[in-house]
Amino acid sequence: MTLRLDATRLAGRFESVFGAAADGVWQAPGRVNLIGEHTDYNEGFVLPFAIDRTARVAVRLRSDSTIRLLSTFGNQGLTTVDARSLSRETARGWTKYPLGVVWALQQRGLDVGGLDLLLDSDVPRGAGLSSSHAIECAVITALNELAGADLGAGDMVLATQRAENDFVGAPTGIMDQSASLRGAAGHALFLDCRDQGIRLVPFDAESAGLVTLVIDTRVSHSHAGGGYADRRASCELGAEVLGVRALRDVGLEDLGEAGGLLDPVTFRRVRHVVTENERVLQTVKVLEGTGPEAIGPLLDASHASMRDDFEISCPELDLAVEAARAAGAIGARMTGGGFGGSAIALTPAAAEQQVRDAVGRAFAEAGYTAPDIFSVRPAAGAMRLA
Ligand code: ADP
Ligand code: MG
């Protein structure tokens, strides 16, 4: 992970690389999904929060159509392309994300022309914290402002979704961008993925004496890989057989009948989505009532459902969750798309070290790569820094 450069240093670095001052510096956070997994593309409910780890971009619009991109991460060198001939076939590596945003804006009839861009991010890559959307959201926030496009958050969400779906080639929903663009400090974002309706829900773990630990298993997931697309296809099949527009329209009370209509695998996929939607609603209720100290059982039930019904966990995620719970976490679950990435463990501050040690020990005993464990706070969404 790269050390985050502050806005002044990033702007300074930009100027020495590109030979001209940046027009500004913008940032957008990664996100942790507190609960509501694989419900987004089923037009259901999710409850993510923006985290205190961000992608930052220094950007300058150019008067020609040249796009030059550089990241502080790795030795990937400068990428130079022409804004008039962007192509998903030729875009490589991380540049797909900023180029996808430029492309998606072009598709909306908004041509920003050429630009220089320097990226710096401390959102862990491929850990399920959406480092890719952090980049896209930082870029779209910058370009929206620089081009005077005046897109609202809802339109920026849809444009970044278009970039991921049709340029990057990852069939993701709207949750990650929504959290990154619309999140707020001390809150989770209750999002209805059917109509993009949002409500900020207090999630002040700190005041409740809790910390949210992220356990990055270092098992790399890939959204473009088969598992995610396969689960999406199962959900579409389930909705079709049950005769609903999306699984959002199936209630707990419909599950008995659904069992008779669906093959066993599709039924379990459907049951996960239906019960997970219900758990999101319950979690919102608890957070707005008693507080974060009472959501542990909902997190645990969510993990069990992903492990057993949706089958998107993996041994490392299961071990992280079990070890954290045994050492004092009040609730734990895998978060993100699955098949690797991170788990979260809501942990009493007093038990934090104990949980960290126990998870590290369990991984060592199992012969797994040591996990990366860190705490996150619900933080502000995308913004201009300088
Ligand atoms: P996630 O979004 O869950 O982190 P993805 O596979 O969707 O996982 O996105 C990870 C990709 O984002 C990396 O492979 C890389 O291309 C890109 N990326 C993330 N952070 C950076 C960075 N600081 N510099 C360059 N590329 C980055
Ligand atoms: Mg991603």
Side-chain angles (χ1 to χ4, degrees):
M1 197 176 309
T2 43
L3 274 181
R4 185 158 75 181
L5 297 176
D6 65 25
T8 310
R9 286 178 60 206
L10 190 63
R13 182 85 72 92
F14 180 98
E15 195 161 344
S16 63
V17 170
F18 293 113
D23 294 333
V25 177
W26 289 260
Q27 76 170 8
R31 64 97 187 91
V32 156
N33 191 19
L34 188 56
I35 195 161
E37 223 65 75
H38 287 260
T39 46
D40 60 347
Y41 54 80
N42 290 298
E43 301 187 7
F45 307 113
V46 293
L47 191 61
F49 62 91
I51 58 175
D52 49 344
R53 290 189 172 233
T54 60
R56 300 171 164 213
V57 292
V59 184
R60 178 176 82 97
L61 288 189
R62 297 169 58 98
S63 51
D64 59 16
S65 62
T66 301
I67 297 181
R68 297 192 293 172
L69 305 167
L70 184 69
S71 168
T72 58
F73 171 73
N75 298 311
Q76 308 182 55
L78 194 69
T79 296
T80 304
V81 296
D82 192 311
R84 290 167 305 189
S85 55
L86 298 180
S87 135
R88 66 194 115 176
E89 281 76 34
T90 54
R92 292 275 166 271
W94 75 276
T95 66
K96 281 185 198 163
Y97 302 106
L99 294 178
V101 169
V102 173
W103 176 85
L105 290 174
Q106 288 174 353
Q107 299 304 303
R108 296 180 67 105
L110 188 78
D111 192 351
V112 296
L115 56 101
D116 291 332
L117 181 149
L118 176 64
L119 163 71
D120 182 53
S121 173
D122 68 351
V123 185
R125 286 164 295 279
L129 304 186
S130 234
S131 66
S132 61
H133 283 103
I135 298 172
E136 290 163 349
C137 291
V139 172
I140 202 163
T141 304
L143 297 183
N144 186 37
E145 192 174 331
L146 288 175
D150 213 21
L151 295 176
D155 282 332
M156 290 199 278
V157 164
L158 295 178
T160 50
Q161 184 186 25
R162 179 105 201 257
E164 278 255 337
N165 291 174
D166 298 340
F167 196 89
V168 176
T172 50
I174 60 164
M175 165 170 70
D176 303 347
Q177 310 89 306
S178 298
S180 185
L181 291 165
R182 312 176 94 165
H187 289 78
L189 186 81
F190 175 40
L191 172 66
D192 182 336
C193 297
R194 170 155 278 170
D195 62 6
Q196 281 208 50
I198 60 165
R199 186 157 98 225
L200 288 168
V201 176
F203 176 56
D204 191 357
E206 223 170 339
S207 300
L210 297 165
V211 289
T212 309
L213 287 178
V214 173
I215 303 161
D216 176 3
T217 62
R218 316 270 286 271
V219 178
S220 183
H221 74 86
S222 169
H223 272 182
Y228 184 93
D230 174 77
R231 296 307 182 280
R232 253 188 111 129
S234 287
C235 292
E236 276 163 26
L237 174 66
E240 196 186 317
V241 174
L242 297 175
V244 291
R245 171 174 146 179
L247 291 183
R248 147 71 170 277
D249 301 308
V250 181
L252 285 177
E253 67 284 358
D254 302 321
L255 282 177
E257 196 189 333
L261 295 170
L262 300 168
D263 68 84
V265 172
T266 307
F267 174 67
R268 283 190 286 116
R269 305 294 187 250
V270 167
R271 184 166 60 188
H272 164 71
V273 173
V274 173
T275 57
E276 186 78 352
N277 272 329
E278 183 60 25
R279 283 185 289 270
V280 175
L281 298 176
Q282 289 302 324
T283 303
V284 168
K285 213 173 187 178
V286 173
L287 286 176
E288 289 178 336
T290 321
E293 63 274 24
I295 66 169
L298 290 159
L299 302 182
D300 292 343
S302 173
H303 186 77
S305 178
M306 289 186 284
R307 182 190 60 211
D308 303 333
D309 273 358
F310 219 59
E311 296 181 278
I312 53 170
S313 190
C314 65
E316 292 84 351
L317 284 168
D318 290 340
L319 185 62
V321 163
E322 281 155 30
R325 286 285 283 112
I330 65 163
R333 62 184 285 275
M334 56 150 280
T335 183
F339 309 104
S342 299
I344 54 169
L346 194 57
T347 304
E352 177 177 346
Q353 197 53 48
Q354 209 171 298
V355 168
R356 285 173 178 268
D357 293 346
V359 173
R361 234 179 4 251
F363 270 57
E365 276 163 20
Y368 297 154
T369 304
D372 190 15
I373 307 177
F374 50 91
S375 60
V376 290
R377 287 199 179 95
M383 64 170 86
R384 184 173 192 155
L385 292 176

